[in-house]
Amino acid sequence: MERKLATVLFVDLVDSSSLVAASDPEVVRRRVSGFFDQVSECIVRHGGTVEKFAGDAVMAAFGVPQAHEDDAERAVKAALAILEAVDLPARIGVESGEVVTESTDSTFATGDAVNLAARLQQTAEPGQVVIGPGTHRLTLGRIETEDLGPVEIRGRAEPVWAWVAMSANGAAPARVVVTPLIGRDHELELLENTYSRAIRDRRAHLFTIYGEPGVGKTRLANEFLESLEGATVVSGRALPYGESITYWPLAEMVKNVAGIADDDPLEVAIEKLRECCPAEAVADLLGLATGVLEAVHGERSQQEIAWAAREWAQLMAQTQPLVLVFEDIHWAEEPLLELIESITAWVRDGPLLMLCLARPELLDIRPDWGGGRVRATSIELEALNAADSEELIDALSDGTPVSPETRKLLLEKTEGNPLFLEEVMRSVEECGEEEAGGIPDTVQALIGARIDRLPAGSKTVLQRASVIGRSFWGGAIAHLVEDDVEEAMNDLLLRDMVVVESRSSLSGETPYRFKHVLIRDVAYSGLSKSSRADLHGSFAGWLHERAGDELLEIRAYHLDQAAALLAELDGAPPPELAREAAEALHEAGRRALAREANRVARTSFLRALELEPTPERRYLAAKAARRLDDLPAVAREMEVVREEAERTGNNRLHGRALTALSDVALMRDADLPRAKELVERALDVLDPTDSASRFDALQARAWIGWWTGHLTEAEPYIRDALAAAKDTGLKELEAGALDLLASTHRAKLELDKAEQILTQARDLAEESGAVVGRGWVFLTWTRIYALRGNVEQAEASGQESIRLFSEAGAAWGTSRALIHSAWVAWSAGDLTKAEKRFREAIRLLKPLGDRAALCESQRGLAQLLVELGRIDEAERFALEARETVGPMDVTSQSSTNTALGVVRAAQGRDLEAEALLRDAVDLIAPTDFREGELEAQRSLAHFLRSRGRDDEADPVEARCEELLPTWNSAARIS
């Protein structure tokens, strides 16, 4: 079977019963036969096919079996000709749409267009041609119509808008100018100048070429790239399908440079990757992003992968200029777009041009793409003028004369669209110049007609290749066709419908690519859904056999397509296919989760869950939701996981679900008793040997101690988490646990011990290559240096922490680093810098919902504004901090009391101020949070001294000295 865009015509005699009753049977027969002959002659003359005679009605199809670019217009013209030719009263209905036909000599077509055309005929008055919305759209401007408005159609819940065709003398509507294939001199010069600047400045530059399909983005880019000498050029294309293929263009680039084939054994691929990237951490992260390695050191963030890509690009650009070409980025996922901008922003001391090709719809999803960057340039290709179009006609005709009449027609129809012009010239070449008058009004229709004119073998190969995608392999086509395809491939190459690619990602396979994505799309649209399902499944099997799990995400996409198509056709996919697709989607989701493509991971797990539900998939889908900060979904779905796991005795999932629910209770609800109850149940349930799960639960339990200020209570959980991290063998987990342990000793003002532990954390973080982990270590150093009064070192360490978090795009870490660096800047006397940092932290934290950090930034800004004499504004932020703080967050309850007390003192409201400051001390003093107590005591001492109450201030300052002997020289702290 085959799916085609066709136009269906129904014509019926009006009141044939009266004709039969009033005339001699022989006369009736002759008149009706004459009617059928006249109808058939009009249909055939306009290129249609008589499908069947049913009583007094005739059904005809235009576009079956041979498609024409103007089938809808032909059908309406045939209908109008019928009304003029027949001697008996008739009425006609016409509609266009997708129909399904047998791939045999039969022309029998079925589809919604067939039914609607018949119903429209029934609504027509005698002597009327009524057309539906599909035909009206395809003939707009060429058929003069009269609007009938919505028409009630039997069997349809909603009315259908219809029109009466009046004549075929309509004028073509004004066409929106579309962008061309070639921008030529000015755009090329701008591109060359940008490349020269990248070399001169030794900095990364982003250059984006926008254009509609077929306007020449690739042609312009290729003309530029072919002119380069002494440069490394690598390219990758974002795929329009398979959400899990986040970093596919990067994968193409890295594999190309490293010489990795998709079917290389794992150990060979790893060896090649590490030869290409001497830094092991960079190589491992790139291996994770490109699919060479599933997860070298566990799950990694998008930011860490972006860091590795920057390091790789920086290294590549050291030897000679580097050009990275990203094609079709309008299909790219958000992490890839972030990665491209990250490389542009952070690669320094290396000539690098990031060349991106995109349709304008990229700006629908990223309106700020490239905006606000001093080294970013964008162009949109404009239409070819008449002189340039004529020059292209001359080039395409290859010396064959083109008559002035045909040339004029070509220029009027194609309106400067080079791809359209190329396709028309090929059509003229195939059919002769006399057919130029039948030039269609859309390039898609023209391509469809060219495909229909192909030899049967070539058409079959083209359609099967379209199932694979824009690029495909010869071996895959041979597998799908189950016959020799060499002759057909050569024919398609000669017709310039496909081209040979320069590099194959599968060794021993000839790589091909559709000349343009529209050729692929039109070819695919001609396949029936059942054929698509069979071919998607068959290709997935070939890919698995040929590449193993290397291209798993692509295989998962094809299996999912096969399952979805069969579900649409049959109600459900076959169980074996559903199982295989679910397994592939599950693994693709797991890989996406490992590289923190969390939205993609969630989509994959939810689809796998739909095909074959399992508790593990439900848990992983909820885990991805947690990564996306979708706390309502986490609460809802993890509760289902918990119930199911408890019922089935799955302790691992039960414990993990309890840990996640504890996290929701703490972060969203600020319900510490509930959070504590849940996480302690998790620790009871989890197997002692499940180190990874216990690590998460132990850290969650430790954080509860931090919220209440009971650090001594938290410390054993941190040490247990450290032991669990060591059991996993993951250095970044061990570094994180050591950093939390060092921070605990810092908060207890045990600074020597904190420094000793933090040195170990720093070394492990460096070895693991964990960018975010290094950021946290530097932030802890910032706070230790501040407590020791080493303001310069604190500032340098804080700056490095901000840099690492910012490079990684980690907003939560950046905001924390900004808060503590603001206090350091204040201590250094730079109040302007301090205010700027507090305000930036507030801006970053508000969307994140982290109440503890947000209230600290608000209260810090309030205290600074008091210092600046802006008391009213200070009061507003101090009150906001009091509203933000969690009801059981003891440490921040104390600090926000201190801030409001400082504001009240500045307002002269001393009784309130003293009460607030003493409450702050009373809240924090019973805890182990000595750092927080020092700040509260110091603020109280300052208030008492300022009011001349030295005898009361003395014991408070004595307590400060007891807490930290060097307290008077310590920088301001948070």
Side-chain angles (χ1 to χ4, degrees):
M1 289 191 298
E2 194 172 14
R3 301 172 75 92
K4 300 176 78 71
L5 175 64
T7 300
V8 180
L9 177 152
F10 263 94
V11 56
D12 193 14
L13 273 173
V14 176
D15 198 17
S16 59
S17 300
S18 299
L19 174 65
V20 172
S23 304
D24 183 274
E26 186 175 349
V27 173
V28 172
R29 180 180 179 84
R30 287 177 64 85
R31 294 188 68 185
V32 171
S33 295
F35 171 81
F36 285 151
D37 289 343
Q38 290 166 330
V39 169
S40 298
E41 191 276 331
C42 290
I43 289 168
V44 172
R45 176 157 46 90
H46 285 84
T49 302
V50 176
E51 286 263 328
K52 62 181 178 180
F53 298 96
D56 303 326
V58 181
M59 171 186 167
F62 292 77
V64 179
Q66 170 70 47
H68 305 90
E69 300 86 351
D70 55 349
D71 281 316
E73 186 176 353
R74 290 177 183 227
V76 178
K77 286 180 175 179
L80 294 169
I82 288 169
L83 293 181
E84 291 182 5
V86 297
D87 300 323
L88 298 173
R91 57 190 180 197
I92 303 174
V94 184
E95 178 57 334
S96 305
E98 197 171 50
V99 300
V100 177
T101 66
E102 297 292 338
S103 53
T104 63
D105 292 338
S106 168
T107 62
F108 181 69
T110 58
D112 188 56
V114 177
N115 299 328
L116 188 52
R119 297 286 184 251
L120 289 171
Q121 173 266 130
Q122 294 170 359
T123 69
E125 297 293 332
Q128 268 190 348
V129 177
V130 176
I131 65 174
T135 300
H136 181 259
R137 183 177 63 253
L138 292 172
T139 60
L140 188 64
R142 294 182 295 281
I143 300 296
E144 184 182 347
T145 61
E146 182 179 295
D147 195 342
L148 278 181
V151 175
E152 296 292 336
I153 299 294
R154 184 161 55 89
R156 288 178 177 262
E158 299 293 332
V160 173
W161 212 283
W163 295 258
V164 175
M166 307 301 293
S167 75
N169 298 322
R175 186 183 298 278
V176 178
V177 176
V178 295
T179 48
L181 179 62
I182 303 173
R184 288 190 174 80
D185 298 341
H186 296 301
E187 287 79 3
L188 183 59
E189 183 180 1
L190 182 58
L191 188 48
E192 289 170 342
N193 288 340
T194 303
Y195 176 68
S196 298
R197 285 179 57 207
I199 295 176
R200 183 195 67 198
D201 301 341
R202 294 188 63 79
R203 294 295 298 271
H205 284 66
L206 174 65
F207 195 104
T208 306
I209 303 174
Y210 291 102
E212 298 289 350
V215 300
K217 303 183 292 292
T218 301
R219 177 76 62 85
L220 175 62
N222 286 342
E223 189 170 343
F224 162 70
L225 296 172
E226 288 169 6
S227 70
L228 299 182
E229 295 181 1
T232 301
V233 179
V234 286
S235 63
R237 178 182 294 109
L239 301 181
Y241 59 81
E243 281 194 320
S244 295
I245 315 170
T246 308
Y247 297 105
W248 181 262
L250 176 66
E252 287 188 296
M253 294 175 182
V254 174
K255 290 177 182 178
N256 187 3
V257 171
I260 297 171
D262 286 328
D263 53 350
D264 276 344
L266 180 59
E267 60 275 10
V268 173
I270 294 172
E271 183 179 353
K272 289 180 178 180
L273 186 60
R274 288 183 174 159
E275 284 178 6
C276 171
C277 304
E280 184 176 326
V282 175
D284 287 352
L285 283 165
L286 288 177
L288 174 59
T290 60
V292 172
L293 306 176
E294 290 184 20
V296 180
H297 288 247
E299 297 176 355
R300 294 300 181 86
S301 69
Q302 296 171 7
Q303 296 80 19
E304 289 172 308
I305 290 172
W307 168 79
R310 293 196 300 269
E311 293 292 310
W312 171 75
Q314 181 86 55
L315 178 66
M316 291 285 296
Q318 294 307 302
T319 52
Q320 62 181 11
L322 175 64
V323 180
L324 300 182
V325 184
F326 292 85
E327 296 187 59
D328 296 335
I329 63 166
H330 49 275
W331 282 321
E333 296 174 24
E334 187 67 21
L336 179 65
L337 297 176
E338 294 284 355
L339 181 144
I340 293 171
E341 290 192 325
S342 174
I343 292 176
T344 305
W346 292 102
V347 168
R348 297 179 173 87
D349 191 28
L352 168 61
L353 178 65
M354 307 284 287
L355 180 56
C356 297
L357 279 58
R359 296 180 187 174
E361 52 257 41
L362 170 65
L363 296 175
D364 293 336
I365 57 173
R366 286 294 295 269
D368 60 344
W369 177 253
R373 300 182 183 277
V374 294
R375 295 185 305 281
T377 305
S378 298
I379 59 170
E380 182 179 12
L381 300 182
E382 297 296 336
L384 291 174
N385 58 35
D388 289 336
S389 296
E390 290 212 52
E391 184 181 340
L392 182 57
I393 291 172
D394 291 336
L396 292 169
S397 63
D398 195 24
T400 303
V402 179
S403 70
E405 293 78 12
T406 299
R407 185 181 293 266
K408 181 182 178 182
L409 190 59
L410 292 173
L411 293 174
E412 289 175 352
K413 282 281 188 177
T414 58
E415 294 186 310
N417 184 323
L419 175 65
F420 200 172
L421 192 51
E422 282 190 17
E423 291 296 327
V424 169
M425 289 297 293
R426 291 193 184 97
S427 185
V428 169
E429 181 183 353
E430 292 171 2
C431 302
E433 193 172 333
E434 62 276 5
E435 294 294 320
I439 294 173
D441 286 305
T442 67
V443 69
Q444 290 90 340
L446 179 62
I447 292 171
R450 283 193 68 209
I451 290 173
D452 274 347
R453 288 195 296 269
L454 289 173
S458 299
K459 181 178 179 180
T460 297
V461 166
L462 195 75
Q463 288 185 320
R464 276 150 179 72
S466 72
V467 173
I468 299 172
R470 176 79 185 273
S471 300
F472 55 94
W473 299 275
I477 299 303
H479 174 78
L480 296 180
V481 175
E482 298 180 347
D483 199 356
D484 182 31
V485 298
E486 184 177 359
E487 183 179 346
M489 286 305 308
N490 287 335
D491 180 51
L492 294 171
L493 288 166
L494 287 171
R495 294 174 186 270
D496 207 23
M497 300 187 95
V498 301
V499 297
V500 178
E501 293 215 87
S502 59
R503 175 186 177 271
S504 175
S505 60
L506 291 176
S507 57
E509 289 287 348
T510 303
Y512 298 95
R513 176 171 56 86
F514 282 93
K515 177 67 181 295
H516 194 275
V517 68
L518 287 178
I519 300 174
R520 181 265 163 193
D521 292 346
V522 174
Y524 186 77
S525 69
L527 289 166
S528 68
K529 291 184 177 180
S530 59
S531 295
R532 293 178 196 173
D534 292 342
L535 292 168
H536 278 297
S538 181
F539 173 67
W542 179 87
L543 193 63
H544 191 213
E545 180 181 334
R546 193 66 179 77
D549 285 336
E550 185 62 29
L551 300 176
L552 174 94
E553 290 87 352
I554 293 179
R555 183 165 67 90
Y557 164 78
H558 285 279
L559 289 169
D560 187 29
Q561 286 294 105
L565 287 163
L566 289 175
E568 183 181 350
L569 292 170
D570 302 331
E576 182 61 26
L577 175 61
R579 182 194 59 77
E580 186 180 4
E583 288 178 355
L585 287 163
H586 177 108
E587 182 60 20
R590 194 183 66 79
R591 291 185 182 185
L593 204 61
R595 60 178 182 265
E596 281 207 350
N598 300 315
R599 196 169 302 282
V600 170
R602 180 157 169 81
T603 301
S604 296
F605 287 131
L606 288 174
R607 178 61 179 145
L609 193 63
E610 183 181 342
L611 288 167
E612 188 184 48
T614 67
E616 179 74 14
R617 286 169 191 155
R618 195 179 305 280
Y619 164 74
L620 291 171
K623 180 178 180 180
R626 179 62 188 94
R627 297 270 190 88
L628 294 167
D629 293 322
D630 187 353
L631 295 182
V634 176
R636 183 175 60 253
E637 294 175 25
M638 282 295 186
E639 182 59 29
V640 175
V641 173
R642 184 200 64 75
E643 291 175 355
E644 189 173 357
E646 186 175 23
R647 185 177 65 254
T648 59
N650 188 331
N651 289 340
R652 183 180 68 87
L653 285 187
H654 188 193
R656 289 187 171 192
L658 286 167
T659 301
L661 291 170
S662 170
D663 194 23
V664 172
L666 188 65
M667 297 298 295
R668 185 187 69 172
D669 306 328
D671 187 345
L672 266 67
R674 175 65 174 161
K676 181 178 179 181
E677 174 203 348
L678 289 167
V679 76
E680 288 183 348
R681 284 171 58 192
L683 289 168
D684 289 340
V685 165
L686 287 169
D687 191 301
T689 62
D690 186 359
S691 299
S693 300
R694 290 187 66 81
F695 175 83
D696 291 338
L698 288 163
Q699 275 215 319
R701 180 62 184 85
W703 276 115
I704 292 171
W706 267 78
W707 270 54
T708 59
H710 296 136
L711 304 180
T712 302
E713 175 189 321
E715 189 172 340
Y717 295 103
I718 299 172
R719 293 191 180 279
D720 288 345
L722 177 60
K726 289 179 178 179
D727 289 340
T728 67
L730 301 177
K731 293 179 181 178
E732 66 268 24
L733 293 188
E734 190 176 349
L738 284 169
D739 177 60
L740 184 56
L741 185 59
S743 296
T744 302
H745 287 292
R746 184 216 73 232
K748 293 164 70 175
L749 296 179
E750 298 168 352
L751 301 186
D752 292 341
K753 189 177 290 188
E755 286 188 11
Q756 180 184 356
I757 297 170
L758 193 58
T759 301
Q760 299 175 50
R762 179 193 60 200
D763 293 343
L764 283 167
E766 293 286 349
E767 289 173 23
S768 74
V771 180
V772 174
R774 289 165 57 209
W776 288 115
V777 169
F778 271 102
L779 181 54
T780 305
W781 279 117
T782 300
R783 302 188 69 174
I784 291 175
Y785 289 141
L787 286 166
R788 291 200 182 279
N790 298 328
V791 176
E792 288 186 9
Q793 286 180 286
E795 173 65 20
S797 185
Q799 286 275 34
E800 181 64 9
S801 178
I802 293 170
R803 186 188 71 81
L804 287 166
F805 285 130
S806 298
E807 280 191 29
W812 189 67
T814 303
S815 61
R816 293 273 183 160
L818 284 166
I819 293 170
H820 299 300
S821 296
W823 290 100
V824 172
W826 186 355
S827 297
D830 193 340
L831 274 61
T832 301
K833 181 186 288 185
E835 181 180 359
K836 182 179 178 181
R837 286 175 175 174
F838 278 131
R839 290 188 184 277
E840 178 63 10
I842 291 169
R843 185 188 70 80
L844 290 173
L845 284 164
K846 280 194 172 180
L848 299 182
D850 179 356
R851 296 169 65 180
L854 178 58
C855 72
E856 285 297 325
S857 58
Q858 290 167 330
R859 75 95 175 178
L861 180 57
Q863 290 178 243
L864 177 66
L865 290 169
V866 170
E867 185 88 353
L868 292 168
R870 288 146 61 183
I871 308 303
D872 290 344
E873 192 178 3
E875 180 182 34
R876 177 166 64 84
F877 279 101
L879 291 172
E880 284 183 8
R882 295 264 289 181
E883 292 174 3
T884 303
V885 67
M888 297 182 181
D889 185 352
V890 174
T891 54
S892 289
Q893 285 279 357
S894 172
S895 64
T896 53
N897 267 12
T898 294
L900 187 56
V902 169
V903 170
R904 292 293 181 243
Q907 293 172 325
R909 296 160 65 173
D910 283 10
L911 289 177
E912 291 178 61
E914 183 173 353
L916 286 164
L917 293 171
R918 291 192 181 278
D919 282 348
V921 171
D922 292 342
L923 279 166
I924 200 72
T927 73
D928 307 314
F929 211 110
R930 296 292 173 255
E931 184 182 18
E933 185 189 348
L934 176 62
E935 179 67 9
Q937 296 280 17
R938 184 156 65 174
S939 296
L940 177 59
H942 179 269
F943 170 78
L944 294 172
R945 288 277 182 216
S946 69
R947 297 310 189 255
R949 296 159 62 181
D950 294 346
D951 56 335
E952 294 178 71
D954 288 341
V956 178
E957 290 180 352
R959 175 56 181 164
C960 290
E961 188 165 352
E962 181 183 341
L963 291 168
L964 185 69
T966 58
W967 72 274
N968 225 1
S969 61
R972 294 178 181 273
I973 53 178
S974 168

